[in-house]
Amino acid sequence: MFYPKEDDIITSNPYKISRKEEIRRRRERKQKNTQRVEEPTYCPECKSTDLVHDSQKAELSCRRCGHVIEEGIMDMGPEYRAFDNEQRLKRTRTGAPMSFAISDKGLSTVMGKSNSDVNGNRIPERNKDQYRRIRAINSRLRISCTGERNLAIALSELHRVCSKLGLPKVVREDAAIIYRSAAKNNLVRGRSIEGMVAAAVYTAARRCELPRTLDEVSDATNVSKKKISRNYRFLARELKIKLRAPSPADYVPRFASLLGASGEVESMAIDIVHKSKEQGLLNGPEPTGVAAATLYIASVLLGEKITQRQVAETANVSEVTIRNRYKDLTEKLNLSASL
């Protein structure tokens, strides 16, 4: 009786791989999972065994001579920290962390749109209609009511606005929490989603000390400044959010980065802001105008070529505002800077 070899065994599905190929892939995955990379135990330069692992820079260096032995080390541990066994048990989880910027907080399963399975094999043509129906049912189950649908639309708009304004993830999460609180307290009813999202982003940016001006938020959302300001005051009053007034020092780093100014100019501009605050010169003027003026003063004192027009366009203020703030600060702070 003839028995086929392992090489000749092929499943009836033409899209599946042979038995031999499957065994080979399993062996490769097993070897890859069990393979361990041994870290160096001594410095190749001075032969010292006093090595230090810097998790901030992802480097392994020698404490004696400072030689960097390895760099770009991948940390395979969790992103959270636990200081005792109880915290470790509470924070242990499977999958990505929960996010308030997603309508279902990232806890549901999302089916991909690719026509392939988890192993990368193509789905047969006869099963494509079935998978399409399953995707439609999965999408309907994730958003089952009008409130969840409006929340999904609002968080999608929030993600777009934060990306356009260049805001980090912490601001996005805080803005999502503010909007969820407003929706939970029925503060969104009767108001446009775009206007409330703009106010939530503006509030979160100020609370995280990464403020954006009303003009910038208005340009990113196509909502008028008057409407954003009204919704912002409404949210702050109803949700009892207390925010400090924005300082010119909050705008200086971003304006300096956009202008391509050096770190010395940025540091001097912040020092001028602090000195102006000590003498009570910041009561009244717009923070963006003061920040632009201090950057221009610092650039003149350090001899960097930054024109008033460049600073005005970056801070979205007029050149007249920069000249007025410039004269006030140089005269009252006794700074020898000439226009």
Side-chain angles (χ1 to χ4, degrees), residues 313-325:
E313 291 177 353
T314 302
N316 198 15
V317 296
S318 64
E319 297 181 34
V320 178
T321 302
I322 294 178
R323 283 194 290 268
N324 292 337
R325 300 287 83 76

Side-chain angles (χ1 to χ4, degrees), residues 244-265:
R244 67 173 180 85
S247 172
D250 298 334
Y251 296 96
V252 168
R254 184 161 59 92
F255 291 166
S257 177
L258 293 174
L259 288 168
S262 62
E264 297 177 355
V265 172

Side-chain angles (χ1 to χ4, degrees), residues 145-161:
C145 62
T146 307
E148 293 181 359
R149 186 179 301 106
N150 292 340
L151 181 63
I153 295 172
L155 295 180
S156 177
E157 175 68 10
L158 188 146
H159 179 79
R160 185 191 68 81
V161 173

Side-chain angles (χ1 to χ4, degrees), residues 111-159:
M111 293 188 64
K113 295 183 179 180
S114 61
N115 293 324
S116 58
D117 58 11
V118 68
N119 294 322
N121 301 323
R122 292 182 58 188
I123 297 174
E125 293 292 334
R126 63 179 180 274
N127 295 335
K128 283 187 177 181
D129 292 337
Q130 179 184 0
Y131 277 81
R132 194 178 298 110
R133 289 193 297 270
I134 294 175
R135 290 192 192 100
I137 295 173
N138 180 57
S139 177
R140 292 168 189 166
L141 290 176
R142 290 180 61 210
I143 303 174
S144 57
C145 62
T146 307
E148 293 181 359
R149 186 179 301 106
N150 292 340
L151 181 63
I153 295 172
L155 295 180
S156 177
E157 175 68 10
L158 188 146
H159 179 79

Side-chain angles (χ1 to χ4, degrees), residues 84-230:
D84 53 23
N85 190 35
E86 184 178 357
Q87 282 188 355
R88 187 176 297 105
L89 292 176
K90 286 182 178 180
R91 298 180 181 181
T92 302
R93 55 173 169 73
T94 302
M98 186 176 63
S99 175
F100 289 97
I102 306 175
S103 59
D104 54 5
K105 299 181 182 180
L107 301 177
S108 64
T109 303
V110 181
M111 293 188 64
K113 295 183 179 180
S114 61
N115 293 324
S116 58
D117 58 11
V118 68
N119 294 322
N121 301 323
R122 292 182 58 188
I123 297 174
E125 293 292 334
R126 63 179 180 274
N127 295 335
K128 283 187 177 181
D129 292 337
Q130 179 184 0
Y131 277 81
R132 194 178 298 110
R133 289 193 297 270
I134 294 175
R135 290 192 192 100
I137 295 173
N138 180 57
S139 177
R140 292 168 189 166
L141 290 176
R142 290 180 61 210
I143 303 174
S144 57
C145 62
T146 307
E148 293 181 359
R149 186 179 301 106
N150 292 340
L151 181 63
I153 295 172
L155 295 180
S156 177
E157 175 68 10
L158 188 146
H159 179 79
R160 185 191 68 81
V161 173
C162 289
S163 298
K164 193 170 183 179
L165 292 173
L167 293 170
K169 183 179 178 181
V170 61
V171 179
R172 188 180 308 164
E173 293 288 331
D174 195 22
I177 292 173
I178 293 173
Y179 188 89
R180 284 177 179 272
S181 300
K184 184 178 180 180
N185 295 320
N186 293 326
L187 304 179
V188 186
R189 188 184 300 273
R191 294 175 174 83
S192 66
I193 293 177
E194 292 80 5
M196 296 301 291
V197 166
V201 171
Y202 179 75
T203 306
R206 286 188 54 180
R207 188 155 70 173
C208 296
E209 298 184 356
L210 294 170
R212 295 296 186 267
T213 62
L214 287 173
D215 292 322
E216 292 175 322
V217 179
S218 178
D219 294 338
T221 57
N222 294 324
V223 181
S224 64
K225 293 195 301 180
K226 183 178 180 181
K227 194 171 185 179
I228 297 173
S229 180
R230 185 170 63 247

Side-chain angles (χ1 to χ4, degrees), residues 255-291:
F255 291 166
S257 177
L258 293 174
L259 288 168
S262 62
E264 297 177 355
V265 172
E266 179 182 340
S267 178
M268 181 176 287
I270 294 176
D271 291 339
I272 295 173
V273 170
H274 292 329
K275 292 179 181 178
S276 303
K277 186 176 182 180
E278 292 175 358
Q279 298 188 16
L281 304 178
L282 302 183
N283 299 327
E286 188 71 21
T288 53
V290 176

